[in-house]
Amino acid sequence: MKIIIINGPNLNLLGKREPAIYGGKTFESYFGDLQSKFEDLELEYYQSNIEGELIDKIQEVGFTYDGIILNAAAYTHTSVGLGDVVKAINTPVVEVHISNTHQREDFRHVSYISPGAKGVILGFGLQSYELAIRSFL
Ligand code: DQA
C-alpha cells in the first residue's frame, strides 16, 4: 500500500515553530518513527511552501497512490485550487491538522479541503498523522 503525507507551508519549521501549539519535534524525526511503525507500507513524505507545487504533487500521485494524507496548513483556509484538486483526483485524501483548528481563530474554522476529503483528523498533535494512516488500513 502506497501512502503519501503532503505537508503545506511552514510545516518544514516543525520543532522550532510555536512549540506550544505544534510541539518540539521535527517532522523528519516523526516521519522516521512512522516508517519504523508501518514497515509494510510504502510511506512517502513531501513538503512545500508553494501552493502550485502542492497542487502539482497531488495531481502526480492522485491517480495511482492508495492514500494521501494532506495537511495543507494555512492554504486549508484559503485555497480554492487545493480544494478543487482534492475533488479532481481518484486517490482518497484524509485531511489532517496537528492543532484543533476549531479552538483557534475564526479564520481557521473554514476548510476548502474538507468538502473533497474522505475524512478529517485534527487536534491530536503529530499523532493525527498516525491516526490518518490507520484509517487507510
Ligand atoms: C495547521 C493549522 C493551520 O491553521 C495552520 O495554518 C498551520 C498548521 C495544523 O496542522 O494545526 O500551519 O494545519
Side-chain angles (χ1 to χ4, degrees):
M1 193 179 228
K2 220 168 174 177
I3 293 177
I4 185 166
I5 295 173
I6 300 180
N7 274 345
N10 301 308
L11 293 172
N12 54 313
L13 294 181
L14 287 178
K16 297 191 250 207
R17 173 193 184 198
E18 298 183 273
I21 298 175
Y22 298 113
K25 196 163 189 158
T26 66
F27 197 80
E28 287 70 16
S29 147
Y30 178 67
F31 185 66
D33 298 347
L34 286 178
Q35 282 178 311
S36 336
K37 225 173 206 171
F38 297 99
E39 277 178 340
D40 296 342
L41 295 180
E42 277 183 70
L43 268 186
E44 275 177 43
Y45 166 54
Y46 176 81
Q47 190 278 332
S48 175
N49 293 320
I50 299 166
E51 186 176 7
E53 286 185 357
L54 293 164
I55 293 171
D56 283 346
K57 179 51 88 174
I58 293 168
Q59 287 187 6
E60 182 192 316
V61 300
F63 295 90
T64 49
Y65 283 41
D66 300 299
I68 297 172
I69 296 169
L70 175 63
N71 186 347
Y75 292 140
T76 305
H77 318 299
T78 61
S79 176
V80 174
L82 275 166
D84 280 352
V85 75
V86 164
K87 287 182 182 158
I89 57 171
N90 296 335
T91 300
V93 174
V94 172
E95 177 184 352
V96 155
H97 299 283
I98 298 165
S99 63
N100 180 346
T101 47
H102 296 288
Q103 289 174 340
R104 301 179 65 194
E105 303 95 321
D106 285 354
F107 69 86
R108 294 186 206 274
H109 300 178
V110 172
S111 169
Y112 285 87
I113 310 300
S114 298
K118 185 177 176 202
V120 184
I121 299 172
L122 55 86
F124 294 96
L126 286 175
Q127 211 200 336
S128 297
Y129 293 91
E130 179 177 341
L131 295 171
I133 293 173
R134 291 193 188 282
S135 78
F136 284 113
L137 302 181

